[in-house]
């Protein structure tokens, strides 16, 4: 579920990261009287700044997997070794599932994971300087995701193309694929400023 959703015009995922950190830190101190919380046997330290790393860095640090050095065959072998099944092979989604399986549960202290493979989110802007990634982060605390945010894609032509591709994926049985939303695309055609989007839940 989503507890809170925010859109902020003329901001990006970096601004949403700061907003998330400031908001949660304020609430923890206000409700707990301290930035340290003892939860399920772990002492969670909410003092700023929180750790930030890319998905690739996290895979290298916590799973000893250097994604940038792996070809498709090696990634497929890792999927098989870890009993991860994909409806059909896709490199970006394969990397994402390896992260979920091998890294997420190890992220105990507040950690922002950034720069996801572009295949994982159709509503997100491509990362400046690297067209294979997107400007997205998720926040993990105590081994679970608490927030998801990105620099919103506001180009209607690109958005239509991506949703069209997702529509085709749905027809092949991919239940995770986004449905086509022509009303949303039409709204973008009328003009949407650059914006950051955030969901906390």
């Amino acid at each position: 579920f989503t507890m809170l959703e925010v859109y902020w015009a003329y901001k990006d995922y970096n601004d949403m990261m700061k907003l998330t950190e400031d908001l949660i830190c304020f609430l923890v101190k206000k409700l707990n009287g301290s930035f340290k919380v003892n939860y399920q046997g772990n002492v969670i330290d909410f003092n700023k700044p929180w750790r930030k790393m890319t998905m690739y860095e996290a895979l290298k640090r916590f799973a000893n997997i250097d994604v940038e050095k792996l070809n498709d065959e090696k990634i497929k072998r890792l999927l098989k070794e870890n009993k991860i099944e994909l409806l059909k092979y896709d490199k970006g989604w394969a990397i994402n599932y390896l992260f979920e399986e091998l890294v997420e549960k190890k992220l105990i202290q507040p950690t922002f994971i950034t720069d996801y493979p572009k295949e994982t989110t159709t509503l997100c802007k491509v990362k400046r300087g690297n067209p294979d990634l997107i400007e997205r982060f998720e926040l993990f605390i105590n081994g679970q995701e608490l927030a998801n945010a990105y620099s919103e894609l506001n180009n209607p032509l690109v958005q239509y193309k991506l949703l069209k591709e997702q529509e085709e994926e749905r027809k092949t049985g991919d239940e995770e694929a986004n449905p086509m939303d022509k009303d949303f695309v039409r709204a973008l055609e009328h003009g949407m400023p650059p914006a950051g989007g955030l969901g906390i839940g």
Side-chain angles (χ1 to χ4, degrees):
F1 75 97
T2 299
M3 180 183 73
L4 174 69
E5 196 162 310
V6 178
Y7 294 88
W8 193 359
Y10 304 108
K11 300 296 180 181
D12 66 11
Y13 77 142
N14 294 301
D15 300 294
M16 304 317 279
M17 215 177 303
K18 184 177 186 314
L19 175 66
T20 304
E21 188 177 55
D22 288 346
L23 174 63
I24 293 177
C25 282
F26 174 82
L27 290 169
V28 167
K29 187 68 188 284
K30 190 81 171 172
L31 296 169
N32 189 57
S34 165
F35 286 119
K36 292 188 177 180
V37 176
N38 197 319
Y39 182 69
Q40 293 184 342
N42 293 314
V43 176
I44 313 293
D45 187 351
F46 287 89
N47 276 292
K48 296 188 280 187
W50 294 352
R51 181 169 56 189
K52 297 176 183 71
M53 60 178 67
T54 68
M55 181 178 282
Y56 288 8
E57 289 169 343
L59 277 161
K60 191 183 287 188
R61 177 170 174 177
F62 292 101
N64 199 29
I65 295 172
D66 189 345
V67 173
E68 294 176 285
K69 291 183 178 176
L70 299 180
N71 59 27
D72 288 333
E73 287 311 308
K74 289 180 180 175
I75 292 175
K76 286 177 183 176
R77 193 177 316 132
L78 281 170
L79 292 173
K80 191 172 182 182
E81 287 170 6
N82 290 284
K83 298 180 176 61
I84 300 170
E85 294 183 19
L86 301 182
L87 196 61
K88 73 171 187 177
Y89 178 77
D90 176 284
K91 184 176 181 181
W93 276 108
I95 292 167
N96 184 78
Y97 284 124
L98 285 168
F99 167 81
E100 288 181 0
E101 183 67 28
L102 304 174
V103 178
E104 272 190 20
K105 58 185 172 285
K106 298 176 182 175
L107 302 174
I108 304 303
Q109 299 305 320
T111 304
F112 289 114
I113 299 295
T114 67
D115 303 345
Y116 282 55
K118 69 178 179 185
E119 296 85 354
T120 60
T121 312
T122 58
L123 303 173
C124 186
K125 276 189 175 174
V126 168
K127 181 173 173 61
R128 287 159 276 195
N130 189 336
D132 294 328
L133 303 176
I134 49 176
E135 296 193 350
R136 176 185 177 191
F137 75 78
E138 288 184 314
L139 169 65
F140 294 89
I141 302 174
N142 203 48
Q144 57 188 329
E145 175 199 340
L146 265 76
N148 181 24
Y150 34 87
S151 302
E152 299 288 333
L153 176 56
N154 62 335
N155 182 324
L157 299 176
V158 174
Q159 188 64 86
Y160 180 81
K161 176 179 176 288
L162 293 174
L163 287 174
K164 195 72 180 164
E165 290 170 2
Q166 289 282 294
E167 190 175 50
E168 294 305 312
E169 292 294 323
R170 281 182 80 82
K171 289 176 183 174
T172 64
D174 184 357
E175 295 176 4
E176 296 279 327
N178 284 304
M180 171 56 75
D181 188 341
K182 289 183 179 175
D183 289 335
F184 177 60
V185 174
R186 192 176 305 116
L188 291 184
E189 288 171 350
H190 285 82
M192 174 183 168
L198 164 69
I200 299 177

